[in-house]
Amino acid sequence: QVQLVESGGGLVQAGGSLTLSCAASGRTFSGYTMGWFRQAPGKEREFVAAITWTGGSTNYAGSVKGRFTISRDNAKNTVYLQMNSLKPEDTAVYYCATTAVRLSGTPQRYPHWGQGTQVTVSS
């Protein structure tokens, strides 16, 4: 049974940084993609970034490219999202998820999700 547990959220001022972690367990993730999504109140869940477990290829949403970095530690089965130059509009619940579809940005293609972690950026 796949389990994804996010951590690292919190309150930060605009311009600050946070690093989110997603600990994955329950199967071998080789060949799979890990994604980060976010959902603000009253808005749809949106793609943030994705990375392949094998090879470490990445995909980013345009709104975060150059500010966020996704990475993984295969030995720890953990994926990270380093978020720099945070803006108030980055405020959302951040979720990690896994899919067999390479670098997909579509939430419907991700069958497994974590519980989410809140990120709040104050102006």
Side-chain angles (χ1 to χ4, degrees), residues 10-11 14-15 18 20-21 28 34 48 51-52 56 62-63 65 78 83-84 88 90 95 97 113-116 119 123:
L11 173 64
L18 275 177
L20 306 182
S21 301
T28 299
M34 297 297 295
V48 175
I51 189 168
T52 58
S63 59
K65 194 172 292 185
T78 300
M83 306 185 292
N84 297 327
D90 294 317
Y95 300 89
W113 293 81
Q115 81 290 349
V119 171
S123 57

Side-chain angles (χ1 to χ4, degrees), residues 6-12 18-21 83 92 94 116-120:
E6 303 96 335
S7 61
L11 173 64
V12 64
L18 275 177
T19 300
L20 306 182
S21 301
M83 306 185 292
Y94 283 70
T117 186
Q118 176 71 46
V119 171
T120 303

Side-chain angles (χ1 to χ4, degrees), residues 8-118:
L11 173 64
V12 64
Q13 287 189 331
S17 299
L18 275 177
T19 300
L20 306 182
S21 301
C22 174
S25 62
R27 71 160 182 231
T28 299
F29 290 92
S30 176
Y32 284 78
T33 283
M34 297 297 295
W36 283 99
F37 292 80
R38 65 188 182 186
Q39 188 165 19
K43 295 188 176 182
E44 293 189 353
R45 193 165 297 190
E46 66 171 355
F47 171 72
V48 175
I51 189 168
T52 58
W53 276 108
T54 305
S57 297
T58 58
N59 180 25
Y60 292 93
S63 59
V64 306
K65 194 172 292 185
R67 299 189 299 125
F68 292 10
T69 302
I70 189 171
S71 62
R72 89 274 189 237
D73 184 331
N74 288 8
K76 295 182 178 179
N77 260 17
T78 300
V79 176
Y80 304 96
L81 185 68
Q82 172 70 41
M83 306 185 292
N84 297 327
S85 302
L86 282 161
K87 305 174 181 179
E89 51 263 44
D90 294 317
T91 295
V93 177
Y94 283 70
Y95 300 89
C96 70
T98 185
T99 180
V101 181
R102 188 175 185 276
L103 295 176
S104 175
T106 305
Q108 291 80 4
R109 292 188 170 185
Y110 286 76
H112 303 290
W113 293 81
Q115 81 290 349
T117 186
Q118 176 71 46

